[in-house]
Amino acid sequence: MAELQEQVTTISRCRLLTPQVLASLACSLLLLDLSVSFSFTTVVIGQLKNSTGPLALDDGKASWIGSIAYICQPLGAVSSGVLTDLMGRKRVMLLINLPFLLGWVLMATASSFAMLCIALVLLGITAGLIEAPLSTYIGEVCQPSIRGVMSCMSSVMYQLGSLLVLLTGTLTDWRTTAVICTSIPVVTAVCLLLVPEAPIWLISKGRIKDAEKALCWLRGWEHGSAVLQELSEMVSYHDSRGISSMVRCTQQYGAQADHRNPEFARVQGTAEPSAFVNPSFVDDNNEPVTDTIVRVDSDTRSGLIQRAKEMGRPTTRRPLLLLVPFMFFTAWSGYVAVKPFMIQVFTEFQMPVSADWATVIQQVGGLMGAVVLAAGIRRIGKRPLSLVGSLVTGLCTLLLGVYALVELEAAKKEDRALWLPWAPLLLFAIMSFFYSSFGMVPWVLLSELFPFRTRGFCTGVCSASHYVFVFAASKTFLLLEGGLQLYGTFWLYCAVNVTCFIVMYFQLPETEGRTLQDIERHFSKANTCSTDC
């Protein structure tokens, strides 16, 4: 919980923040794997749909290629939270790279439709494992001043991965693209080996010395004495939450860790928090010990019962009821549903450039939007980004529907060239730009809204719900286009975006610049209609 107190040290700010940035970027490389896994379907469908040979795809097969990875993702996402809490954030992120590598090997050597599906299933399940450790790790190792920015860097990595795979697929065939993608999990694993585990997780397991070493690395490669105050506050935070552990500190904590933190006094509802140091403990032989032992009250109830109670508390329930609908709105905003079939849609809109290059051009807009999100989130805030993004995305889908109905239909009837042929590509680029901002906000919020004890599990639940929604949106796109026509489908997505704007206007609080304690207190209030934490 880096936000408990900004570290006060004599080192430069650059040195203080550099290791946090490096650690966040290392784990964000997983987003390259995730994004190329999902964007790769655009390349495959574009090159194999209506082709000849054993891998030729019709509409039915194309809809499965474009969506099957999404429906498999919840299998990984649900277990992701549990594995993250049990095994640690870093270890789970390291292990994820093995099935990713296997999935890309299967994809590159696929000789049948069934083998393509198996590879996508494996990639989808593995992608689901990413969300919980990635979101929680960034939220737990970064200080508040850069936490939002580094969370948004995940969006930059995601958009960059999509751009790279679409560009590679345009310049080469889909098998060569898959072979190139096998290098990503290898590079990611090497980078993750160089960063430490999240200190807050190490404390939850009673590994105080390891937590101290990790915190020293993350706070500018400092010595232990420089991080004692923040370390002791982390343990006090666990004490205030009643998380079970027994930890042993060295003698040096006795002299420096007995501090008072009024923030915890407010959290616990007391005038002052209890002292961190308690020397009145004995060892297993009933002999007094000279070093300091920090105890956190043991929970005698079973883990499952305690987890169920935690899930029912307002601090967990209310963020869950906010983020799951938010995930639905972003999945059905139009951009994600269309993306696997983008080459086909661009062909229908009769783009002035080839459909392959049109996908690359619009993806540049997405990357630019992600960069703006990372650079401007501290000044702009997540709430304005969400509201403006949903509104502009809704406007783009509305205009795309109008263009499809008015111009495409008129050009067909009159047998003439299209007016403003660049308009659809421009609208897609704008939609990609704004979707990369508001569509990524719920993923950033995953690392902020939930309490520590349910953060991993709830992150997995929200991730799973998102990909169930994306599966439904992607799987039904061709059906909707056949029933509602292209214009009607885009107008449906417009209605979803308008609904998103209305709901988020009244329910989404601004969390930028707030500590996790402020956010938790906001959701513990009886009335959470206020949009200010």
Side-chain angles (χ1 to χ4, degrees), residues 1 23 31 59 153 161 178 215 294 307 406 419 425 428 437 441 446 457:
M1 314 307 296
L31 269 297
D59 282 351
M153 283 304 296
L215 200 57
V294 183
R307 174 64 60 81
V406 176
W419 294 341
L425 181 56
F428 268 103
S437 58
V441 168
L446 286 178
F457 180 77

Side-chain angles (χ1 to χ4, degrees), residues 169-186:
T170 300
L171 297 175
T172 66
D173 62 275
W174 64 273
R175 287 192 189 275
T176 304
T177 302
V179 171
I180 294 173
C181 290
T182 59
S183 63
I184 299 177
V186 177

Side-chain angles (χ1 to χ4, degrees), residues 206-228:
R207 297 166 56 184
I208 293 296
K209 289 300 295 181
D210 290 336
E212 178 193 356
K213 293 178 182 178
L215 200 57
C216 288
W217 194 98
L218 291 164
R219 296 301 178 260
W221 303 286
E222 274 281 17
H223 298 292
S225 59
V227 299
L228 286 179

Side-chain angles (χ1 to χ4, degrees), residues 87-367:
M87 299 175 61
R89 286 76 165 115
K90 176 183 175 179
R91 187 177 302 172
V92 173
M93 288 190 291
L94 270 173
L95 294 176
I96 284 172
N97 291 284
L98 294 176
F100 259 136
L101 180 59
L102 178 58
W104 284 117
V105 171
L106 290 175
M107 184 68 71
T109 58
S111 58
S112 64
F113 173 74
M115 197 168 177
L116 280 175
C117 289
I118 292 173
L120 288 170
V121 166
L122 181 58
L123 291 173
I125 294 174
T126 309
L129 294 171
I130 290 177
E131 309 298 349
L134 178 63
S135 298
T136 55
Y137 185 84
I138 293 177
E140 291 167 358
V141 304
C142 292
Q143 294 178 306
S145 58
I146 64 168
R147 188 182 62 217
V149 173
M150 295 317 301
S151 295
C152 292
M153 283 304 296
S154 298
S155 174
V156 175
M157 287 292 186
Y158 187 92
Q159 297 297 332
L160 179 61
S162 295
L163 177 60
L164 290 177
V165 75
L166 291 174
L167 179 59
T168 305
T170 300
L171 297 175
T172 66
D173 62 275
W174 64 273
R175 287 192 189 275
T176 304
T177 302
V179 171
I180 294 173
C181 290
T182 59
S183 63
I184 299 177
V186 177
V187 174
T188 302
V190 172
C191 293
L192 286 172
L193 286 171
L194 304 177
V195 302
E197 178 59 85
I200 195 74
W201 181 85
L202 293 170
I203 290 174
S204 73
K205 300 302 179 184
R207 297 166 56 184
I208 293 296
K209 289 300 295 181
D210 290 336
E212 178 193 356
K213 293 178 182 178
L215 200 57
C216 288
W217 194 98
L218 291 164
R219 296 301 178 260
W221 303 286
E222 274 281 17
H223 298 292
S225 59
V227 299
L228 286 179
Q229 184 172 348
E230 184 176 2
L231 181 65
S232 59
E233 287 177 354
M234 289 183 179
V235 179
S236 296
Y237 176 82
H238 276 72
D239 187 34
S240 71
R241 295 300 183 266
I243 296 178
S244 174
S245 68
M246 175 181 290
V247 293
R248 181 179 298 271
C249 301
T250 58
Q251 182 65 42
Q252 62 176 328
Y253 290 97
Q256 302 184 53
D258 188 9
H259 66 281
R260 306 282 173 169
N261 188 334
E263 175 65 17
F264 287 105
R266 291 193 293 271
V267 172
Q268 299 181 58
T270 60
E272 282 187 301
S274 59
F276 174 74
V277 177
N278 188 344
S280 58
F281 290 105
V282 296
D283 60 17
D284 295 335
N285 297 320
N286 204 35
E287 294 291 329
V289 294
T290 57
D291 60 342
T292 303
I293 293 178
V294 183
R295 284 182 185 268
V296 185
D297 294 338
S298 297
D299 192 346
T300 58
R301 291 168 292 185
S302 70
L304 290 177
I305 294 177
Q306 183 64 18
R307 174 64 60 81
K309 289 190 174 184
E310 288 292 334
M311 293 295 293
R313 289 176 180 172
T315 52
T316 298
R317 184 183 70 251
R318 287 168 177 165
L320 199 63
L321 293 177
L322 171 66
L323 284 181
V324 171
F326 203 168
M327 293 293 185
F328 171 82
F329 293 135
T330 57
W332 280 83
S333 64
Y335 182 77
V336 178
V338 173
K339 192 167 185 178
F341 315 100
M342 198 165 277
I343 292 178
Q344 174 182 330
V345 172
F346 283 174
T347 301
E348 294 180 36
F349 272 110
Q350 302 177 37
M351 298 288 182
V353 295
S354 70
D356 292 327
W357 281 106
T359 62
V360 175
I361 293 172
Q362 64 81 30
Q363 188 57 47
V364 171
L367 180 59

Side-chain angles (χ1 to χ4, degrees), residues 514-530:
R514 307 296 194 273
T515 67
L516 297 192
Q517 286 71 43
D518 292 334
I519 298 170
E520 192 169 331
R521 281 194 293 270
H522 169 79
F523 285 106
S524 66
K525 297 175 184 177
N527 180 14
T528 58
C529 291
S530 171

